[in-house]
PDB file of all heavy atoms in Angstrom:
ATOM      1  N   CYS T 151      73.869  60.585 133.657  1.00  0.00           N
ATOM      2  CA  CYS T 151      74.526  61.895 133.793  1.00  0.00           C
ATOM      3  C   CYS T 151      73.698  62.938 133.049  1.00  0.00           C
ATOM      4  O   CYS T 151      72.933  62.600 132.156  1.00  0.00           O
ATOM      5  CB  CYS T 151      75.959  61.865 133.287  1.00  0.00           C
ATOM      6  SG  CYS T 151      76.165  61.377 131.572  1.00  0.00           S
ATOM      7  N   ASN T 152      73.877  64.184 133.444  1.00  0.00           N
ATOM      8  CA  ASN T 152      73.026  65.255 132.930  1.00  0.00           C
ATOM      9  C   ASN T 152      73.894  66.470 132.595  1.00  0.00           C
ATOM     10  O   ASN T 152      73.869  67.485 133.297  1.00  0.00           O
ATOM     11  CB  ASN T 152      71.982  65.595 134.017  1.00  0.00           C
ATOM     12  CG  ASN T 152      70.973  66.628 133.565  1.00  0.00           C
ATOM     13  OD1 ASN T 152      70.882  66.969 132.382  1.00  0.00           O
ATOM     14  ND2 ASN T 152      70.201  67.151 134.516  1.00  0.00           N
ATOM     15  N   HIS T 155      73.157  70.250 132.775  1.00  0.00           N
ATOM     16  CA  HIS T 155      73.245  70.947 134.053  1.00  0.00           C
ATOM     17  C   HIS T 155      74.645  70.871 134.680  1.00  0.00           C
ATOM     18  O   HIS T 155      75.146  71.858 135.193  1.00  0.00           O
ATOM     19  CB  HIS T 155      72.234  70.366 135.057  1.00  0.00           C
ATOM     20  CG  HIS T 155      70.852  70.901 134.839  1.00  0.00           C
ATOM     21  ND1 HIS T 155      70.291  71.857 135.646  1.00  0.00           N
ATOM     22  CD2 HIS T 155      69.938  70.638 133.890  1.00  0.00           C
ATOM     23  CE1 HIS T 155      69.079  72.158 135.198  1.00  0.00           C
ATOM     24  NE2 HIS T 155      68.843  71.421 134.138  1.00  0.00           N
ATOM     25  N   VAL T 184      70.247  58.875 125.696  1.00  0.00           N
ATOM     26  CA  VAL T 184      70.325  59.145 127.138  1.00  0.00           C
ATOM     27  C   VAL T 184      69.626  58.010 127.892  1.00  0.00           C
ATOM     28  O   VAL T 184      68.500  57.649 127.570  1.00  0.00           O
ATOM     29  CB  VAL T 184      69.689  60.503 127.502  1.00  0.00           C
ATOM     30  CG1 VAL T 184      69.541  60.647 129.016  1.00  0.00           C
ATOM     31  CG2 VAL T 184      70.524  61.655 126.949  1.00  0.00           C
ATOM     32  N   ILE T 185      70.341  57.433 128.857  1.00  0.00           N
ATOM     33  CA  ILE T 185      69.746  56.415 129.731  1.00  0.00           C
ATOM     34  C   ILE T 185      69.670  57.038 131.125  1.00  0.00           C
ATOM     35  O   ILE T 185      70.697  57.439 131.687  1.00  0.00           O
ATOM     36  CB  ILE T 185      70.611  55.137 129.758  1.00  0.00           C
ATOM     37  CG1 ILE T 185      70.749  54.564 128.333  1.00  0.00           C
ATOM     38  CG2 ILE T 185      70.027  54.104 130.715  1.00  0.00           C
ATOM     39  CD1 ILE T 185      71.723  53.402 128.216  1.00  0.00           C
ATOM     40  N   ASP T 186      68.465  57.174 131.638  1.00  0.00           N
ATOM     41  CA  ASP T 186      68.319  57.834 132.948  1.00  0.00           C
ATOM     42  C   ASP T 186      67.022  57.387 133.598  1.00  0.00           C
ATOM     43  O   ASP T 186      66.229  56.666 132.992  1.00  0.00           O
ATOM     44  CB  ASP T 186      68.341  59.371 132.773  1.00  0.00           C
ATOM     45  CG  ASP T 186      68.996  60.055 133.979  1.00  0.00           C
ATOM     46  OD1 ASP T 186      68.706  59.646 135.120  1.00  0.00           O
ATOM     47  OD2 ASP T 186      69.783  60.994 133.781  1.00  0.00           O
ATOM     48  N   VAL T 187      66.828  57.831 134.839  1.00  0.00           N
ATOM     49  CA  VAL T 187      65.618  57.437 135.568  1.00  0.00           C
ATOM     50  C   VAL T 187      64.543  58.514 135.514  1.00  0.00           C
ATOM     51  O   VAL T 187      63.413  58.308 135.944  1.00  0.00           O
ATOM     52  CB  VAL T 187      65.925  57.109 137.039  1.00  0.00           C
ATOM     53  CG1 VAL T 187      66.929  55.974 137.125  1.00  0.00           C
ATOM     54  CG2 VAL T 187      66.446  58.334 137.791  1.00  0.00           C
ATOM     55  N   ARG T 188      64.904  59.697 134.998  1.00  0.00           N
ATOM     56  CA  ARG T 188      63.917  60.766 134.845  1.00  0.00           C
ATOM     57  C   ARG T 188      64.306  61.564 133.611  1.00  0.00           C
ATOM     58  O   ARG T 188      65.489  61.607 133.237  1.00  0.00           O
ATOM     59  CB  ARG T 188      63.854  61.661 136.090  1.00  0.00           C
ATOM     60  CG  ARG T 188      65.155  62.329 136.389  1.00  0.00           C
ATOM     61  CD  ARG T 188      65.181  63.051 137.716  1.00  0.00           C
ATOM     62  NE  ARG T 188      66.381  63.858 137.743  1.00  0.00           N
ATOM     63  CZ  ARG T 188      66.408  65.193 137.828  1.00  0.00           C
ATOM     64  NH1 ARG T 188      65.275  65.866 137.938  1.00  0.00           N
ATOM     65  NH2 ARG T 188      67.539  65.843 137.817  1.00  0.00           N
ATOM     66  N   LYS T 189      63.306  62.190 133.000  1.00  0.00           N
ATOM     67  CA  LYS T 189      63.575  62.889 131.743  1.00  0.00           C
ATOM     68  C   LYS T 189      64.253  64.218 132.051  1.00  0.00           C
ATOM     69  O   LYS T 189      63.604  65.231 132.312  1.00  0.00           O
ATOM     70  CB  LYS T 189      62.284  63.085 130.945  1.00  0.00           C
ATOM     71  CG  LYS T 189      62.565  63.476 129.507  1.00  0.00           C
ATOM     72  CD  LYS T 189      61.366  63.278 128.616  1.00  0.00           C
ATOM     73  CE  LYS T 189      61.769  63.497 127.170  1.00  0.00           C
ATOM     74  NZ  LYS T 189      60.641  63.367 126.259  1.00  0.00           N
ATOM     75  N   THR T 190      65.576  64.212 132.019  1.00  0.00           N
ATOM     76  CA  THR T 190      66.362  65.402 132.337  1.00  0.00           C
ATOM     77  C   THR T 190      66.411  66.333 131.126  1.00  0.00           C
ATOM     78  O   THR T 190      65.979  65.968 130.030  1.00  0.00           O
ATOM     79  CB  THR T 190      67.801  64.996 132.680  1.00  0.00           C
ATOM     80  OG1 THR T 190      68.360  64.352 131.521  1.00  0.00           O
ATOM     81  CG2 THR T 190      67.858  64.064 133.868  1.00  0.00           C
ATOM     82  N   ASP T 191      66.991  67.526 131.326  1.00  0.00           N
ATOM     83  CA  ASP T 191      67.138  68.448 130.196  1.00  0.00           C
ATOM     84  C   ASP T 191      68.059  67.866 129.128  1.00  0.00           C
ATOM     85  O   ASP T 191      67.926  68.182 127.954  1.00  0.00           O
ATOM     86  CB  ASP T 191      67.659  69.802 130.697  1.00  0.00           C
ATOM     87  CG  ASP T 191      66.576  70.569 131.452  1.00  0.00           C
ATOM     88  OD1 ASP T 191      65.380  70.293 131.211  1.00  0.00           O
ATOM     89  OD2 ASP T 191      66.916  71.430 132.284  1.00  0.00           O
ATOM     90  N   THR T 192      69.004  67.014 129.518  1.00  0.00           N
ATOM     91  CA  THR T 192      69.850  66.332 128.527  1.00  0.00           C
ATOM     92  C   THR T 192      68.996  65.332 127.745  1.00  0.00           C
ATOM     93  O   THR T 192      69.101  65.240 126.512  1.00  0.00           O
ATOM     94  CB  THR T 192      71.023  65.603 129.232  1.00  0.00           C
ATOM     95  OG1 THR T 192      71.731  66.552 130.030  1.00  0.00           O
ATOM     96  CG2 THR T 192      71.971  64.992 128.223  1.00  0.00           C
ATOM     97  N   ALA T 193      68.143  64.593 128.453  1.00  0.00           N
ATOM     98  CA  ALA T 193      67.287  63.601 127.784  1.00  0.00           C
ATOM     99  C   ALA T 193      66.359  64.256 126.761  1.00  0.00           C
ATOM    100  O   ALA T 193      66.047  63.672 125.720  1.00  0.00           O
ATOM    101  CB  ALA T 193      66.468  62.844 128.825  1.00  0.00           C
ATOM    102  N   LYS T 194      65.938  65.494 127.065  1.00  0.00           N
ATOM    103  CA  LYS T 194      64.983  66.170 126.172  1.00  0.00           C
ATOM    104  C   LYS T 194      65.577  66.454 124.792  1.00  0.00           C
ATOM    105  O   LYS T 194      64.840  66.629 123.826  1.00  0.00           O
ATOM    106  CB  LYS T 194      64.514  67.482 126.815  1.00  0.00           C
ATOM    107  CG  LYS T 194      63.542  67.259 127.979  1.00  0.00           C
ATOM    108  CD  LYS T 194      63.216  68.558 128.687  1.00  0.00           C
ATOM    109  CE  LYS T 194      62.462  68.283 129.986  1.00  0.00           C
ATOM    110  NZ  LYS T 194      62.448  69.445 130.874  1.00  0.00           N
ATOM    111  N   ILE T 195      66.901  66.569 124.690  1.00  0.00           N
ATOM    112  CA  ILE T 195      67.498  66.875 123.382  1.00  0.00           C
ATOM    113  C   ILE T 195      68.142  65.641 122.739  1.00  0.00           C
ATOM    114  O   ILE T 195      68.838  65.746 121.740  1.00  0.00           O
ATOM    115  CB  ILE T 195      68.546  68.013 123.485  1.00  0.00           C
ATOM    116  CG1 ILE T 195      69.626  67.681 124.511  1.00  0.00           C
ATOM    117  CG2 ILE T 195      67.879  69.334 123.831  1.00  0.00           C
ATOM    118  CD1 ILE T 195      70.809  68.632 124.455  1.00  0.00           C
ATOM    119  N   ALA T 196      67.902  64.464 123.329  1.00  0.00           N
ATOM    120  CA  ALA T 196      68.503  63.238 122.792  1.00  0.00           C
ATOM    121  C   ALA T 196      67.683  62.697 121.624  1.00  0.00           C
ATOM    122  O   ALA T 196      66.499  63.006 121.481  1.00  0.00           O
ATOM    123  CB  ALA T 196      68.586  62.191 123.891  1.00  0.00           C
ATOM    124  N   ASP T 197      68.321  61.880 120.771  1.00  0.00           N
ATOM    125  CA  ASP T 197      67.575  61.179 119.714  1.00  0.00           C
ATOM    126  C   ASP T 197      66.754  60.053 120.330  1.00  0.00           C
ATOM    127  O   ASP T 197      65.706  59.689 119.820  1.00  0.00           O
ATOM    128  CB  ASP T 197      68.556  60.590 118.692  1.00  0.00           C
ATOM    129  CG  ASP T 197      69.343  61.679 117.995  1.00  0.00           C
ATOM    130  OD1 ASP T 197      68.701  62.591 117.441  1.00  0.00           O
ATOM    131  OD2 ASP T 197      70.584  61.643 118.030  1.00  0.00           O
ATOM    132  N   GLN T 198      67.285  59.485 121.382  1.00  0.00           N
ATOM    133  CA  GLN T 198      66.589  58.371 122.028  1.00  0.00           C
ATOM    134  C   GLN T 198      66.761  58.479 123.538  1.00  0.00           C
ATOM    135  O   GLN T 198      67.879  58.616 124.036  1.00  0.00           O
ATOM    136  CB  GLN T 198      67.188  57.046 121.523  1.00  0.00           C
ATOM    137  CG  GLN T 198      66.401  55.842 121.968  1.00  0.00           C
ATOM    138  CD  GLN T 198      67.048  54.536 121.476  1.00  0.00           C
ATOM    139  OE1 GLN T 198      67.977  54.554 120.667  1.00  0.00           O
ATOM    140  NE2 GLN T 198      66.556  53.431 121.975  1.00  0.00           N
ATOM    141  N   TYR T 199      65.645  58.449 124.248  1.00  0.00           N
ATOM    142  CA  TYR T 199      65.694  58.471 125.714  1.00  0.00           C
ATOM    143  C   TYR T 199      65.218  57.122 126.225  1.00  0.00           C
ATOM    144  O   TYR T 199      64.115  56.682 125.903  1.00  0.00           O
ATOM    145  CB  TYR T 199      64.812  59.608 126.249  1.00  0.00           C
ATOM    146  CG  TYR T 199      64.533  59.530 127.737  1.00  0.00           C
ATOM    147  CD1 TYR T 199      65.570  59.361 128.649  1.00  0.00           C
ATOM    148  CD2 TYR T 199      63.237  59.618 128.230  1.00  0.00           C
ATOM    149  CE1 TYR T 199      65.322  59.280 130.013  1.00  0.00           C
ATOM    150  CE2 TYR T 199      62.976  59.541 129.592  1.00  0.00           C
ATOM    151  CZ  TYR T 199      64.032  59.364 130.474  1.00  0.00           C
ATOM    152  OH  TYR T 199      63.787  59.276 131.826  1.00  0.00           O
ATOM    153  N   VAL T 200      66.058  56.458 126.987  1.00  0.00           N
ATOM    154  CA  VAL T 200      65.699  55.160 127.561  1.00  0.00           C
ATOM    155  C   VAL T 200      65.500  55.355 129.053  1.00  0.00           C
ATOM    156  O   VAL T 200      66.462  55.591 129.789  1.00  0.00           O
ATOM    157  CB  VAL T 200      66.827  54.129 127.299  1.00  0.00           C
ATOM    158  CG1 VAL T 200      66.439  52.767 127.869  1.00  0.00           C
ATOM    159  CG2 VAL T 200      67.141  54.028 125.816  1.00  0.00           C
ATOM    160  N   GLU T 201      64.241  55.296 129.487  1.00  0.00           N
ATOM    161  CA  GLU T 201      63.965  55.491 130.913  1.00  0.00           C
ATOM    162  C   GLU T 201      64.017  54.148 131.623  1.00  0.00           C
ATOM    163  O   GLU T 201      63.306  53.219 131.229  1.00  0.00           O
ATOM    164  CB  GLU T 201      62.603  56.149 131.120  1.00  0.00           C
ATOM    165  CG  GLU T 201      62.356  56.495 132.592  1.00  0.00           C
ATOM    166  CD  GLU T 201      61.155  57.417 132.757  1.00  0.00           C
ATOM    167  OE1 GLU T 201      61.216  58.553 132.264  1.00  0.00           O
ATOM    168  OE2 GLU T 201      60.166  56.970 133.357  1.00  0.00           O
ATOM    169  N   ILE T 202      64.857  54.052 132.633  1.00  0.00           N
ATOM    170  CA  ILE T 202      64.980  52.783 133.356  1.00  0.00           C
ATOM    171  C   ILE T 202      64.483  52.943 134.789  1.00  0.00           C
ATOM    172  O   ILE T 202      64.415  54.050 135.314  1.00  0.00           O
ATOM    173  CB  ILE T 202      66.445  52.271 133.366  1.00  0.00           C
ATOM    174  CG1 ILE T 202      67.380  53.241 134.108  1.00  0.00           C
ATOM    175  CG2 ILE T 202      66.945  52.049 131.952  1.00  0.00           C
ATOM    176  CD1 ILE T 202      68.748  52.644 134.386  1.00  0.00           C
TER     177      ILE T 202
ATOM    178  N   ILE D   8      66.080  60.412 145.118  1.00  0.00           N
ATOM    179  CA  ILE D   8      67.422  60.531 144.540  1.00  0.00           C
ATOM    180  C   ILE D   8      67.892  61.979 144.701  1.00  0.00           C
ATOM    181  O   ILE D   8      67.089  62.885 144.916  1.00  0.00           O
ATOM    182  CB  ILE D   8      67.470  60.109 143.051  1.00  0.00           C
ATOM    183  CG1 ILE D   8      66.587  61.012 142.182  1.00  0.00           C
ATOM    184  CG2 ILE D   8      67.089  58.658 142.876  1.00  0.00           C
ATOM    185  CD1 ILE D   8      66.797  60.829 140.690  1.00  0.00           C
ATOM    186  N   GLU D  35      61.633  67.883 144.242  1.00  0.00           N
ATOM    187  CA  GLU D  35      60.851  67.802 143.002  1.00  0.00           C
ATOM    188  C   GLU D  35      60.064  66.504 142.929  1.00  0.00           C
ATOM    189  O   GLU D  35      60.611  65.421 143.134  1.00  0.00           O
ATOM    190  CB  GLU D  35      61.809  67.811 141.795  1.00  0.00           C
ATOM    191  CG  GLU D  35      62.197  69.164 141.304  1.00  0.00           C
ATOM    192  CD  GLU D  35      63.117  69.066 140.090  1.00  0.00           C
ATOM    193  OE1 GLU D  35      63.415  67.952 139.613  1.00  0.00           O
ATOM    194  OE2 GLU D  35      63.551  70.124 139.642  1.00  0.00           O
ATOM    195  N   ASN D  68      58.230  68.744 138.627  1.00  0.00           N
ATOM    196  CA  ASN D  68      59.050  68.408 137.463  1.00  0.00           C
ATOM    197  C   ASN D  68      58.411  67.190 136.814  1.00  0.00           C
ATOM    198  O   ASN D  68      58.471  66.082 137.342  1.00  0.00           O
ATOM    199  CB  ASN D  68      60.492  68.106 137.880  1.00  0.00           C
ATOM    200  CG  ASN D  68      61.373  67.846 136.661  1.00  0.00           C
ATOM    201  OD1 ASN D  68      60.882  67.495 135.584  1.00  0.00           O
ATOM    202  ND2 ASN D  68      62.669  68.035 136.823  1.00  0.00           N
ATOM    203  N   ASP D  69      57.784  67.423 135.665  1.00  0.00           N
ATOM    204  CA  ASP D  69      57.058  66.326 135.031  1.00  0.00           C
ATOM    205  C   ASP D  69      57.974  65.347 134.309  1.00  0.00           C
ATOM    206  O   ASP D  69      57.494  64.377 133.716  1.00  0.00           O
ATOM    207  CB  ASP D  69      55.962  66.885 134.117  1.00  0.00           C
ATOM    208  CG  ASP D  69      54.811  67.448 134.949  1.00  0.00           C
ATOM    209  OD1 ASP D  69      54.606  66.933 136.074  1.00  0.00           O
ATOM    210  OD2 ASP D  69      54.159  68.411 134.516  1.00  0.00           O
ATOM    211  N   GLY D  70      59.282  65.591 134.374  1.00  0.00           N
ATOM    212  CA  GLY D  70      60.238  64.591 133.885  1.00  0.00           C
ATOM    213  C   GLY D  70      60.399  63.438 134.866  1.00  0.00           C
ATOM    214  O   GLY D  70      60.919  62.383 134.523  1.00  0.00           O
ATOM    215  N   ASN D  71      59.939  63.646 136.108  1.00  0.00           N
ATOM    216  CA  ASN D  71      60.057  62.580 137.118  1.00  0.00           C
ATOM    217  C   ASN D  71      58.920  61.576 136.936  1.00  0.00           C
ATOM    218  O   ASN D  71      57.758  61.975 136.842  1.00  0.00           O
ATOM    219  CB  ASN D  71      59.936  63.142 138.537  1.00  0.00           C
ATOM    220  CG  ASN D  71      61.175  63.917 138.948  1.00  0.00           C
ATOM    221  OD1 ASN D  71      62.013  64.256 138.123  1.00  0.00           O
ATOM    222  ND2 ASN D  71      61.296  64.193 140.235  1.00  0.00           N
ATOM    223  N   PRO D  72      59.228  60.271 136.919  1.00  0.00           N
ATOM    224  CA  PRO D  72      58.135  59.298 136.925  1.00  0.00           C
ATOM    225  C   PRO D  72      57.404  59.328 138.275  1.00  0.00           C
ATOM    226  O   PRO D  72      57.906  59.915 139.242  1.00  0.00           O
ATOM    227  CB  PRO D  72      58.839  57.958 136.704  1.00  0.00           C
ATOM    228  CG  PRO D  72      60.278  58.178 136.928  1.00  0.00           C
ATOM    229  CD  PRO D  72      60.553  59.645 136.841  1.00  0.00           C
ATOM    230  N   LEU D  75      58.969  59.187 142.125  1.00  0.00           N
ATOM    231  CA  LEU D  75      60.407  59.496 142.176  1.00  0.00           C
ATOM    232  C   LEU D  75      60.580  60.934 142.651  1.00  0.00           C
ATOM    233  O   LEU D  75      60.059  61.867 142.040  1.00  0.00           O
ATOM    234  CB  LEU D  75      61.077  59.321 140.811  1.00  0.00           C
ATOM    235  CG  LEU D  75      62.608  59.448 140.879  1.00  0.00           C
ATOM    236  CD1 LEU D  75      63.238  58.103 141.261  1.00  0.00           C
ATOM    237  CD2 LEU D  75      63.193  59.923 139.563  1.00  0.00           C
TER     238      LEU D  75
END
Side-chain angles (χ1 to χ4, degrees):
Chain T
C151 58
N152 184 12
H155 280 256
V184 169
I185 301 173
D186 213 317
V187 301
R188 60 189 191 118
K189 195 163 188 182
T190 61
D191 287 337
T192 305
K194 287 174 190 164
I195 56 169
D197 297 306
Q198 189 181 351
Y199 167 50
V200 181
E201 186 167 296
I202 63 168
Chain D
I8 62 169
E35 273 181 2
N68 184 338
D69 287 331
N71 287 14
L75 188 85

